[in-house]
């Protein structure tokens, strides 16, 4: 993320629910200097709304790597299962329109509940 040892980052771990069923565990790092003002109110809403509306910043691109992984012991608790299950991991580095990295995240989606549609366009 182009950080130094002295740079501060936010770290959040959130579980996303659909109809009270855990679908995604998301681990996110954001530099405080680039994305200031994240608090409980922002976390309960949309971090991206905070970035776009409050900070008036413009995300430009997200570089993603997708792979299959198994849940950690803690994720088994989040997903409320003892059984092994395949998870879809999406690792992301997101950039603002000025080239600064504003997010590094990994999200783990349940393989039995989630798919990742993808379209490639050639120009």
């Amino acid at each position: 993320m182009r950080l130094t040892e002295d740079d501060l980052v936010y770290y959040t771990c959130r579980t996303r629910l659909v109809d009270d069923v855990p679908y995604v565990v998301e681990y996110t790092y954001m530099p405080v200097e680039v994305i200031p003002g994240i608090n409980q109110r922002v976390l309960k809403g949309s971090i991206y709304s905070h970035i776009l509306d409050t900070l008036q910043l413009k995300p430009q691109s997200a570089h993603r790597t997708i792979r299959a992984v198994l849940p950690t012991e803690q994720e088994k608790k989040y997903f409320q299962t003892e059984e092994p299950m395949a998870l879809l991991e999406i690792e992301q580095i997101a950039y603002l329109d000025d080239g600064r990295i504003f997010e590094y995240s990994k999200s783990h989606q349940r393989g039995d509940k989630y798919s990742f549609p993808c379209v490639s366009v050639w120009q």
Side-chain angles (χ1 to χ4, degrees):
M1 292 180 56
R2 301 181 189 138
L3 299 172
T4 70
E5 285 184 14
D6 296 326
D7 291 329
L8 298 175
V9 297
Y10 298 106
Y11 169 72
T12 60
C13 176
R14 301 195 292 179
T15 303
R16 300 199 179 258
L17 308 174
V18 176
D19 296 327
D20 293 324
V21 176
Y23 269 55
V24 179
V25 177
E26 181 179 79
Y27 309 92
T28 304
Y29 298 86
M30 290 185 168
V32 172
E33 185 175 311
V34 178
I35 309 295
I38 294 179
N39 55 32
Q40 289 296 322
R41 180 189 54 77
V42 171
L43 290 174
K44 289 180 180 178
S46 168
I47 295 173
Y48 273 70
S49 287
H50 175 70
I51 292 167
L52 291 162
D53 302 331
T54 305
L55 301 177
Q56 300 290 302
L57 296 172
K58 295 182 180 165
Q60 180 178 31
S61 64
H63 300 242
R64 295 182 179 114
T65 301
I66 302 168
R67 64 181 65 87
V69 297
L70 295 173
T72 64
E73 290 303 314
Q74 185 63 47
E75 287 171 335
K76 287 180 186 177
K77 293 176 186 172
Y78 291 148
F79 289 122
Q80 303 168 354
T81 183
E82 289 298 318
E83 300 300 317
M85 68 166 71
L87 301 176
L88 182 65
E89 177 182 85
I90 301 175
E91 180 180 33
Q92 172 173 287
I93 300 172
Y95 295 83
L96 296 172
D97 64 348
D98 63 7
R100 290 181 294 168
I101 296 172
F102 74 93
E103 175 187 329
Y104 171 80
S105 65
K106 285 187 179 181
S107 59
H108 289 176
Q109 286 87 4
R110 291 176 59 141
D112 62 337
K113 303 273 187 198
Y114 191 87
S115 64
F116 189 83
C118 183
V119 175
S120 296
V121 176
W122 288 269
Q123 297 184 26

